[in-house]
Amino acid sequence: MLGAGGAGLARGVRAASQAWLRGWRGHSLALARAAGPPRAGDWRPSVVPGPRGRALSLSAAAIVNSAPRPVQPYLRLMRLDKPIGTWLLYLPCTWSIGLAAEPGCFPDWYMLSLFGTGAVLMRGAGCTINDMWDRDYDKKVTRTASRPIAAGDVSTFQSFVFLGGQLTLALGVLLCLNYYSIALGAASLLLVIIYPLMKRITYWPQLALGLTFNWGALLGWSAVKGSCDPSVCLPLYFSGIMWTLIYDTIYAHQDKKDDALIGLRSTALRFREDTKQWLSGFSVAMLGALSLVGVNSGQTVPYYTALAAVGAHLAHQIYTLDIHRPEDCWDKFTSNRTVGLIIFLGIILGNLWKQKKTDETKKNIDCGIAN
């Protein structure tokens, strides 16, 4: 009798456990469906059950989705759920700040953090301006129809007020710099305002974006040094523009069919099947300008090693690019964050190597004097 009761109890526990697991899995599946498919380029760590069965994730999209619902459209308007654009705006700033550091020293961490904050705000402001200009076009393109202004989640007036708030905060960041840099930074605002219009009048809007997105290559150096050194800053700025032409042409191939239908222009439509040849030319120009930067700033072996790695990365990126597959274009586009980080690491290590060379030179001189 006890055996039968124990068996019945065991069966009851097992049945209850299975029912609980089915319920938990069903709840998790419902959450996953509600969140939608993962975005390309989003990093998603392994999911860990959180309180009340909610999934925890550190991806940018997940963080935006976890924000209060009234705030979410504004965070998407800033593209905080897609941080790759912020990286591409920020990285030329880090190159310039790194190059301006004294031999043997790390880059100025205060400046890096200040420019990081500015990159988030200015990228958000640029996206807001872009969506305000393009709200009627965005409705006609599949990939952009869900943007907050196009979808009606944020009105034009609300976006204008939000833009004012972002620019005010960005001005606060700019005012932390020296007077030369304040004037130089303010000069970029015109580019921020007009570059979204370029796709209406020229097949080279990516060039306008390059002029805008790489202003930090000038500003980072001046923020540290107090003025620009043309021999370093100008080739660095030029290399950034070439880099933007590479990654944004790849990006534009995602929308080329819709752009052609609604009358917008891009380098993707200009280059068509010759895209890889153009991208190869831009890559050579970019690496050549970065080499000139290295010579003019007295860079060392680690820097040129980084340039070799960047060259290999770009060659692979262009060779394997399929301009007719939007998902591949997105993957190649986002991989350019790696390009920027390699260059930044090369600048840091190259600058630290300068101290080693300086110490060795001083030692040789002292030995020569002693002899």
Side-chain angles (χ1 to χ4, degrees):
M1 185 174 176
L2 288 173
L9 180 61
R11 284 195 297 271
V13 171
R14 186 163 56 249
S17 300
Q18 290 173 349
W20 182 84
L21 285 171
R22 283 195 297 271
W24 186 86
R25 287 169 181 162
H27 182 57
S28 298
L29 182 59
L31 285 173
R33 286 172 176 166
R39 297 179 184 271
D42 278 352
W43 173 71
R44 292 181 180 270
S46 55
V47 175
V48 180
R52 300 181 183 177
R54 293 182 63 182
L56 299 178
S57 176
L58 294 179
S59 70
I63 292 172
V64 170
N65 288 336
S66 67
R69 191 171 296 276
V71 176
Q72 290 184 22
Y74 294 96
L75 300 183
R76 292 194 175 92
L77 187 58
M78 294 179 68
R79 306 288 197 276
L80 285 186
D81 56 327
K82 297 178 180 178
I84 180 61
T86 303
W87 277 106
L88 296 175
L89 177 63
Y90 177 53
L91 284 166
C93 305
T94 68
W95 303 348
S96 190
I97 293 169
L99 287 166
E102 293 298 320
C105 297
F106 284 99
D108 188 323
W109 297 109
Y110 173 70
M111 286 298 174
L112 289 175
S113 60
L114 203 62
F115 274 74
T117 304
V120 173
L121 292 170
M122 287 308 298
R123 194 261 179 141
C127 289
T128 303
I129 293 170
N130 181 80
D131 288 6
M132 290 171 68
W133 283 122
D134 289 353
R135 58 187 181 276
D136 294 328
Y137 288 104
D138 284 344
K139 296 174 183 177
K140 302 174 185 178
V141 178
T142 303
R143 190 179 59 82
T144 60
S146 61
R147 287 178 175 174
I149 297 177
D153 297 328
V154 177
S155 69
T156 303
F157 176 75
Q158 289 172 326
S159 61
F160 187 79
V161 173
F162 184 56
L163 173 63
Q166 292 177 90
L167 291 177
T168 300
L169 292 174
L171 177 61
V173 172
L174 185 63
L175 292 176
C176 295
L177 307 180
N178 55 61
Y179 291 124
Y180 182 97
S181 300
I182 291 172
L184 185 62
S188 69
L189 188 59
L190 180 62
L191 287 171
V192 174
I193 294 172
I194 66 172
Y195 90 80
L197 299 174
M198 293 298 103
K199 63 174 74 76
R200 294 164 169 79
I201 61 177
T202 177
Y203 280 103
W204 293 84
Q206 280 68 31
L207 178 59
L209 181 65
L211 292 168
T212 308
F213 249 50
N214 294 283
W215 201 258
L218 307 175
L219 194 58
W221 181 283
S222 73
V224 176
K225 297 288 192 180
S227 63
C228 284
D229 180 350
S231 68
V232 176
C233 294
L234 291 183
L236 186 67
Y237 185 46
F238 176 80
S239 68
I241 294 170
M242 294 299 102
W243 185 39
T244 303
L245 283 168
I246 295 167
Y247 64 67
D248 207 54
T249 296
I250 295 173
Y251 181 89
H253 271 285
Q254 297 177 100
D255 300 329
K256 59 188 174 185
K257 293 180 181 178
D258 289 326
D259 286 348
L261 287 174
I262 62 180
L264 296 180
R265 303 173 185 180
S266 70
T267 48
L269 292 173
R270 170 66 178 82
F271 301 156
R272 297 183 182 274
E273 297 302 322
D274 294 330
T275 291
K276 291 190 177 184
Q277 291 90 316
W278 281 93
L279 296 184
S280 298
F282 296 146
S283 298
V284 171
M286 174 188 175
L287 292 170
L290 286 173
S291 298
L292 181 59
V293 168
V295 172
N296 291 342
S297 61
Q299 272 296 341
T300 53
V301 173
Y303 175 80
Y304 295 105
T305 302
L307 293 192
V310 166
H313 187 289
L314 291 174
H316 178 265
Q317 177 177 298
I318 294 168
Y319 180 75
T320 60
L321 173 66
D322 185 347
I323 60 174
H324 302 298
R325 288 181 58 233
E327 61 274 18
D328 186 59
C329 292
W330 175 260
D331 289 341
K332 296 299 192 300
F333 166 71
T334 56
S335 74
N336 279 277
R337 176 174 56 182
T338 303
V339 171
L341 289 172
I342 291 173
I343 294 172
F344 182 47
L345 180 61
I347 290 171
I348 293 175
L349 296 179
N351 207 42
L352 295 176
W353 190 278
K354 288 181 186 179
Q355 181 64 33
K356 180 180 178 180
K357 285 187 63 177
T358 302
D359 290 344
E360 289 177 352
T361 303
K362 184 178 179 181
K363 182 179 179 180
N364 291 335
I365 292 173
D366 290 342
C367 289
I369 293 173
N371 293 332

